[in-house]
Amino acid sequence: MQNPGSAGKWTARHLDASGAAHRAIHVPPSQSPAQFLGKEHQVLAVSDPALCRTSGLLQGRRMGAARGPVEVGTHDLSDWSSCEGRRDSHRADLVGARLRRWRRGSALLCSQAVGSCCCKCSNVFNLIPRRQTEESQSSLEAHHLQGQREGLPLSQGENGVVLQRLLLEKKESNEGDGHLDTCRIPEVPRLLYPKAQLLKPSRVDVLVMTPWFAPIIWDGTFDSAILDAQFRDTTIGLTVFAIKKYVVFLRLFLETAEKYFMVGHKVTYYVFTDRPADVPQIALRAGRQVVVLHVGSYRRWQDISMHRMEMISNFSRQRFLHEVDYLVCLDVDMKFSDHVGVEILAPLFGTLHPVFYAADRQSFTYERRPLSRAYIPRDEGDFYYAGGFFGGSVPEVYRLTTACHQAMAADQAQGIEAIWHDESHLNRYLLSHKPSKVLSPEYLWDEQMLQRPPLLRKLRYVAVPKNHGEIRNR
């Protein structure tokens, strides 16, 4: 049936990788192509037409905008009202079906582009991972954490998975509660700071970049004022285990943390302890709190150390994912002695062990037995990382601690215990999952055991003198 009044026939053709046009989509004559496509397509724009042509997908650009893979056929937009055409129920059904395919293609392309961006974001700008909201808890139960979207099963078809991911992203981005896109570059207020000198590097005495382009954090390699501005809306969780007699270290730990750790930022101290009544009351800065998590104890200190991974994994899934953006996992028998701030934050970071930072890999005390899940051959290894200082975004810490716990359980089933327990498994994990930042020995040092070299301009987190035998066995 012909449409009365002014009518027109418009086609938008889908180009494949070769540039050939597929079957036309007929747009109702009473609407412009832009009106017909609607807002869904207007927001799914990808800036590189070549990318769309290569992938064989339609670019969701507004009709009449800059050229892209969408070819609007037969008439110019200005001739819309004078065109002749027809529409009927069959064509309306055809339009609906093809638009759905169109949208799926656009959504897939957009997801691919966004995914590529997020994977390649620099450490500096991958600042504020979104926390799970109550509305997305069903996804949390199905996949345990937001960061596992990449691991969603593909049995329902790739397009369905992509759309599922996009819906979850949209739901979270619309919450309006400050959960920013992980690729969003934060706006920094006007600041006065010294200009970086390209031909005069601040440190020439130490390595400041790993072979996989992860920065190694030393004094003089960062500007705290700029970083504080970039991370100003970030909440940091600090996990610490005060089991058995180790609770005696907690007061000094918390008092020095309040003086030096993440000053000016929101912090939650998660204290794992079997003695909650012995947790001291500490005066805290605004926006900071202590959360006591009552956990069980174990007879051997080695078991306590190894079960840390299991407990951090479980609590990451149950609550940390909802409450903080980053986790910093530390030993309690230490104290802060200088600034430790947001310069350490990254999706995943580890700290160079103070004994092995200058050693060759053959000297590292990796687990050398091939039967262990922590095994690292003598011709492999980047650095030796300390088990007393690691962290990252909550999803990444969840992945790390879960993997280490599962590996330790597998070893235990075979009657194997790695030479340095959870630290051995941490090193195995960070060998195959390269950290996005590496902290220098400034961030973990023992003044009683080691002589301070000139390259360590600051000692930020240092061991407290103690009798290990007395503390560990009670």
Side-chain angles (χ1 to χ4, degrees), residues 287-305:
R288 299 157 82 96
Q289 61 176 329
V290 172
V291 175
V292 177
L293 302 175
H294 191 182
V295 296
S297 181
Y298 297 88
R299 184 179 61 84
R300 301 187 312 145
W301 69 267
Q302 295 93 334
D303 294 324
I304 295 173
S305 180

Side-chain angles (χ1 to χ4, degrees), residues 393-420:
S393 67
V394 182
E396 287 298 337
V397 172
Y398 174 81
R399 292 188 184 100
L400 181 156
T401 53
T402 300
C404 289
H405 167 60
Q406 291 173 348
M408 285 186 282
D411 272 7
Q412 187 178 30
Q414 299 296 320
I416 302 172
E417 187 174 282
I419 182 173
W420 287 110

